[in-house]
Amino acid sequence: MALPVRVAGAGFSFIRPFCGVMLGVAMNTLSAATGVLVVLVLMLSAAQAAPATAPVVLKYDRSLPPVRFGASEIRCELAAAGRDAVEADLSAAEAPRGGLCVMISAERAAGRRLAAQYGVKPPARDGEQCYALRRIDGAGGSTVLVLGADPVGAMYGALDVAEAVRLGTLAEMRDSDHAPHVVRRGIKFNIPLDLRTPSYSDNSDAAQQNIPEMWSMDFWREMLDEMARRRFNVLTLWNLHPFPSLVKVPEYPDVALNDVLRTKMRLDDSFSHTGSDMLRPEMLREAEVVRHMTIDEKIRFWRDVMQHARDRGIEVYLFTWNIFVFGTMGKYGITASQTNPVTIDYFRASVRQTVLTYPLLAGMGITAGEQMENRKDEFSKEKWLWKTYGEGIRDALKLQSGRQFRLIHRYHQTGQADILENFKDYPGPFEFSFKYAIAHMYASTSPPFIKPVLAAMPAGMRTWLTVRNDDIYSFRWGDPTFAREFIRNMPPAERLAGFYMGPDGYIWGREFIDTEPLSPRQLVMKKQWYSFMLWGRLAYEPDLPDEHFRRTLATRFSQVPADRLFDAWSAASRIFPQITRFFWGDIDLRWFPEACLSHRRHKGFYTVRHFIEGATMPASGIMNIRQYTQAMLTGRKPQGITPLQVAGALEADAAAALEGVAAMRPLAGENRELRLTLGDLAAMAHLGNYYAAKIRAATNLAMFDGSGRAEARDEAVRWLEKALKHWEQYAAAATAQYRPQLLNRVGYVDLNALTEKVRQDIEMARQWQPGTVKMDAGPSRDADRPFVR
């Protein structure tokens, strides 16, 4: 937010903006009264002081919100650099000479006219979100042309200019053309709307803390602005049954919910993993109102959110699972029964009304689960989904002629043939969605699970990729090589509709676990800015070089050598993919690598025995411990990457990260963000050392199991003792920055409390007897289960 002082004249506005962030820093360091005085002095100075250099002229069409946002980002960065700005419409007279002029065009024909007028090459790409940058230097000054094929492309080009101002590279800017590699780049957001309309993640601390934030326009402005900066242009909101919190259905008026509720009851890990008991009666008995709103106010709120998203070039989609009826409270005879005609009519009317109520809603995503019966009659899954969602959307589009509304059908607990047969008459874009890496995007850069889907998918059909991050919730990840390869390995454009990335076990709202929180609490997207920058920018443009990210780090963290920080960050970030490829648990409740944990109803904490019995990721080329042990005991050459090689790679990355952290910590000074970032890198490195020692211990223990040689067991014990020390270092580093929390998929995570589980591995190894484990080194666990949730 800028505080401009304008002096109008000759078609221009003279501007000296002060970014809200800069004011916030001043106010945080002074008393309230002194802060107000300082701000007034700064504003007076802005109005009276003559600029040290010629002002930068910004010419653009101020009627276009995305372009206005891009221009505001340029103004903010200029202000931070001590530069003034003069604004004008594109149609205004020639700008004053002697400085820099930035002209932002947001339409193909206008861009070509500007290119011809200035004698430069016209844009090479003219598709959606495309833009070109052209620079003209002369004795009278320089002109930068941002030639957008549309307003969103123009916004992205303006963001490039703003970034160049921040990085100090504006003088180096050269002609370039830009087009999206992946056209739709999205965020998956399980949205905790209300106690009565939960998402799949609501039985967690993160969800409960974020319920009020979902009804804060300040939150959504900040979130959507940050998404645009990182080049994300799709927001998918996932909820089990959102309609009572979003719409008034004329046929079922009493279902609409006023106010926003949250339970005061302490939640636990006893909830069903299918979502069936996400709302329990005792939770309602201990409910509190966190925001007073009528349903009409809620509708206005979400229309405003969707308008702000549109103004940032972001499409909004609503995703559901089925059949859930939370929030209906048993009214009108609505039940979760698949054969209930009232339920079918209610869903159809709710879908229709949602489409009609929100003209800026881009589409819906639907799921044939996880509360649907495998029937073969008129109430089969796909027939039910067509009667409700398909017909509901069709009803709405009959009243909104010409509107395009995308329907995304997930590959989940259903079959492709049934989907295509029942939705053959859908009146608009119809696409699939596939869980690309199941629950673990931080594993392989080339997940194998989609190959049979692509082979079977009809020509002309495309699929979205659900890119689930149930690997890293706490830490600041950042490895551009991994992200770039992952994106480049996605299916080709003719088969790929887009992707949305996000967790099921956490909420990407505001963080609520930091031990040194900001006020207000920081957005996860801002705290983990580097990770989101990598995924968003590289999905738009995978050729963006590492040098760009090094320069970004150098500017943000000038206290330390950028190369050293880049290398240490990359090394620490390689640890999570390496361990998850080695110890594979396909869905979120089976493997949470931050804590070596699964849900207690699965395995709980993974012991050294579990590591011996564990499987590696399908198509990873990594041998599991049993395969390797059998090869060694029978004198065969290991085929593939061995467990000891995995351990060695983890140790090397951990050592590189810790060496870098040790060198940089004395230089961090009072830079809070840098200090905490280095703390994250150290924690990830200690965790890597723990897993390396545990793998070496499990391998030696398996050798003892198969051979009876006591020295192998003794070696296993020694490695487990080292593993305990590494875990203690990890827990100390992580809990210095993060509090324990309840996660909806694996339960309560307290790293210090888990230390006792780590210690028990040592005694387990000491008591081990040969032949304890069946050495059947079959295929990787769940290799044939790509369709699980």
Side-chain angles (χ1 to χ4, degrees), residues 144 168 424 458 620 634 763:
V144 173
K424 60 182 181 296
S620 66
T634 57
E763 188 60 27

Side-chain angles (χ1 to χ4, degrees), residues 167-169 172 546-556 562:
L167 301 183
T169 60
E172 305 168 20
D546 285 352
E547 179 56 31
H548 182 82
F549 302 117
R550 286 191 176 91
R551 219 154 178 169
T552 300
L553 296 179
T555 300
R556 193 174 185 115

Side-chain angles (χ1 to χ4, degrees), residues 33 57 84 90 154 157 163 186 201 294 368 452 473 499 520 536 608 612 664 691 709 717:
V57 179
D84 300 327
L90 271 175
E163 183 176 58
S201 307
T294 66
Y473 300 156
F499 74 87
V608 66
I612 294 173
M664 289 182 284
Y691 280 128
R709 293 199 295 268
V717 170

